[in-house]
Amino acid sequence: MLRGVLQLGLGRGLLTRGLGSRGGGSTVDWDEKVSEVKKKIKSMLPGEICDPLYDTSHLPPEQSDVVIVGGGVVGLSVAFWLKKLEKRRGAIRVLVVERDHTYAQASTGLSVGGIRQQFSLPENVQLSLFSINFLRNINEYLAVVDAPPLDLQFNPSGYLLLASEKSASTLENNVKVQRQEGAKICLMSPEQLRNKFPWINTEGVALASYGMEDEGWFDPWSLLQGLRRKVQSMGVLFCQGEVTRFVSSSSRMETTSGEEIIMKRIREVHVKMDNSLEYQPVECAIVINAAGAWSGKIAELAGVGKGPPGTLQGTKLPVEPRKRYVYLWHCPQGPGLETPFVADTNGVYFRREGLGNNYLGGRSPTEEEEPDPSNLEVDHDFFQEKVWPQLAQRVPAFENLKVRSSWAGYYDYNTFDQNGVVGPHPLVVNMYFATGFSGHGLQHAPAVGRAVAEMVLEGHFQTIDMSPFLFSRFHLGEKVLEQNIF
Amino acid sequence: MPLRLAALVRALSGAGAPGGAKAWRPLLQLLTEHFYDVEALRERWLQKRLRKVHQENRCFTSLEERYGPDIAGAAFVLKQGGAVKFQDQEWIRPNKHGRFSLEFLKFQNVPVEAVDASGCAINYHGLRSLLPLKELRSLWLRHCPHVDDWCLSRLHPLAGSLQELSLAGCPHISERGLACLHHLQSLCWLDISDLPAVSNPGLTRILVEEMLPSCQVLGADWTQGLRLGPEQQPRDTASPSPA
C-alpha cells in the first residue's frame, strides 16, 4: 500500500514515465525507497534510535552508576545483588562490560563445576553454605516471568577428601571448623572407606572426610545463563567491549602520621569496541573489578601498584592467570553411580560425568610444573606422567582408561595466599575487587556478589564478614591461607 | 482501575481453567513485554505462589517441643494431606475435607513407622519434619510435585531404619538425585518407576541396582530405550521354533 502511494505521489510530480525511460534516465528502485521510508517512520516511534546520523546502539551508555568489568559468574552475581538490594526500583544504573560474549576463555564455562564446604577458613565455609543455599533456591532468586525454570543439573554426590598420615590432624581440625559452621561432614577411617567405596585402594590413606549433603557439582554454564537472563530483566545494561583506560582524578592527602598519599577516584572508563578503534568514555561512580584471570591488568590500568615497592601505592594486585588442565576419560569398569568428587592426598582429583562410565579429573601442578598461561593448549603428557599413575594407584579400575577429550581453563590465581580479594582499594577509593579466588570463584560467586553489593550500598559487610579478604592485607603481609591437606 | 487490571492479569494467568489460559498466553506475554505494571504484577503473583509452598512446609516447632519429634512429624504429614502409621497402630488419614482426628497426640512414645506423603506439597524444607523420625521404615513420596534431587540428598539421616522408599511419578527427580540414595544401606525396596526427568530410565535402573545390591528396585525395564537386533525380536511363543 505504501509502495502504491509513493509511486502515485512521485509519479505525478515528474514527467510521464515514457519520457524518462526513453532518455536513459535513472530507474527508481522502489523497493529500496520503501524500506528507507519504513525505517524513517520506525525511528520516529518512541524507544527507537533518534540520532539518524550515527547508529550508537552497540556502544555503552555515556553514564552509568556502577561499571562491572567482567561478565562472568562473579561479575553477574555482583550485578544481580546490586539490583536486588537497591532501596528503590531502578535506583542504580549498572553496566556490565564483557570483552568476549562467547565466553571462550572465561573461567566460568571451562570450570569443572564443583561446590564444597570442606575448607579450613570459617569464612570460606560460610561463603559455600550461602552459595549452596542460593543454588538450591535458584528458581526463586532468578525467576523471570514467562521463562522456563532453571535446571542446574546439580549432582549432590558430595566431596571425598583423602588424607595421609601427616595431614590427618589438619583434616580433623578442618572438619571441626566446618561442623561448627553447620556443614554436614563425616570422618571415615580406611576400613569404613573400603566398605562404602570398594573400588578405592586405601593404601596411604589415614583419614577421609566425606560431605553428606550440600556438596557436589553442577553445570556452570546454566548458572551463567540464568544470571544473565535475570540480570537483563532487572535492567542491567550489557556491553561487549574492552576496558582500555581509566580516567581518574587524584588528590593529595596527609595521613595522621604526616605521610603524604595520593588518593584517586575513577571518573571515566574507556570501553573500546571489538575490532575497531572506536571507544566510549563511560562516566561512572563505582568500578567493580571482576575480570577474573585478567584482573591484574585492569588493576594496573587503574593505577594500583604504581609507586615505590613496599609502600601501599606500590602494592600491586597479585592476581595472575594460571592454566589448569581438565581431562575427560572413559573407563568401562570404573566406579558407579555413588562416586563422589574424590580429591586424593597428592592433589589428583576426579568425578563422575554422566551415566556412561565417563570421568572428569586433573591435578594442580606444582610451582615448577606451572604451564605457560599465554594460551589454552592442553599438554597430554601431563596426564600420562603426572595424573594417570596416581589415578591408577588410588582406583585400580582406572588402569584401563581411554581419554576422550580435554580442555584447559584459567584460574584467577592469587599468588599471595590463594584466596579471594573482596572490597575496595584503600587508595583508588571507588574500585572494588571481586577476584583472585584461585579455583573457588564459581562456588563462592553468589556469596561474594552479595558481599560486594553490601559493601557498595551499605559501606560494610553484613551477611558474611569478609574483612580478612580486603586488599590491605597485601601491604600488611597478613596471609589468609587455607590449610590444605595437599 | 489497578484492581481491575490485577483481576484481568489473574484471569489470564490461568488461575481458573488451564485450558482457557493457554490461548491467552501470547497476549499475556505481549502485555508483559510492553507494560511495567503487568510485569510487576506477574512477578508478584509468582513470588506469592512460591511463598505459599513455603508456608505449607513450615515445621511445627511448638508441637515438637511439647510432644516430641514423632508426633510433630505426624501432624505435619496429616496437615499436608498425607497418611501416617504409628508402630502397631492403624493408618491415620485425613478425610476428604482435610480434617483429621487428634487422637494420635496420645501416642507419646510410639515411633512413627510409615509415612505416605503421596501427592503432598512437601519440599526440601518440609522434609526437616520427617528427618527426626528415627524408626521410620517406609516412606512413600509418589507424585510429589516439589520433591527434587536436593530432597533426596537430605534423606541420609534415615539410613539406619528406612527399608521402603517410593518415588514414583515425581516430576523433578533425576538420576543425579538417585545417586545419593546409596547412603540408605537398609533399603530393601525402592520404586523409581515413571520418573519423567530421568534421562535414561533403563540404564539408571541398572546403575541403581548395582549401587544398592541388597535392594529390590522397581523401575523401567532394562530393555527400554534399547534397539533390539533382528534376531532378538520377541518371538511369538505359539509359533514353532525353527529346527
Side-chain angles (χ1 to χ4, degrees), chain A residues 89 132 135-137 139-140 143-146 151 153-157 184 196-197 210 212-214 233 337-338 352 355-356, chain B residues 25 29 32 39 42-43 46-47 50 54 124-125 149-150 153-154 156 175-176 179-180 182-183 199-200 203-204 207-208 211:
Chain A
R89 200 186 170 110
I132 197 90
L135 294 181
R136 191 182 316 121
N137 299 313
N139 280 311
E140 285 176 31
V144 175
V145 172
D146 285 334
D151 180 15
Q153 314 221 340
F154 181 67
N155 285 274
S157 297
K184 302 195 184 46
K196 199 149 182 107
F197 304 117
Y210 184 37
M212 308 285 279
E213 254 190 79
D214 288 347
S233 85
L337 203 56
E338 74 278 8
R352 176 182 57 85
L355 292 179
Chain B
R25 196 149 275 278
Q29 279 172 6
T32 315
E39 191 187 0
R42 287 190 74 195
E43 267 175 32
L46 191 64
Q47 296 296 333
L50 293 168
H54 271 297
Y124 182 89
H125 301 285
D149 297 334
W150 299 91
S153 76
R154 212 177 187 193
H156 64 90
E175 65 272 16
R176 300 177 283 275
C180 45
H182 76 278
H183 291 289
S199 54
N200 202 332
L203 178 59
T204 308
L207 291 172
V208 171
M211 185 173 80

Side-chain angles (χ1 to χ4, degrees), chain A residues 70-138:
Chain A
V73 70
V74 175
L76 290 186
S77 172
V78 175
F80 169 76
W81 283 108
L82 274 172
K83 287 308 254 179
K84 185 130 163 89
L85 297 175
E86 63 186 1
K87 293 285 188 306
R88 205 168 38 90
R89 200 186 170 110
I92 306 195
R93 279 180 63 154
V94 181
L95 170 72
V96 172
V97 179
E98 168 60 43
R99 186 168 61 168
D100 176 13
H101 69 253
T102 61
Y103 294 93
Q105 296 196 325
S107 309
T108 306
L110 300 167
S111 159
V112 168
I115 176 164
R116 60 180 159 115
Q117 279 85 50
Q118 298 191 47
F119 289 99
S120 63
L121 285 168
E123 285 86 14
N124 275 337
V125 182
Q126 286 166 15
L127 287 174
S128 281
L129 283 170
F130 184 97
S131 303
I132 197 90
N133 234 329
F134 183 89
L135 294 181
R136 191 182 316 121
N137 299 313
I138 194 135

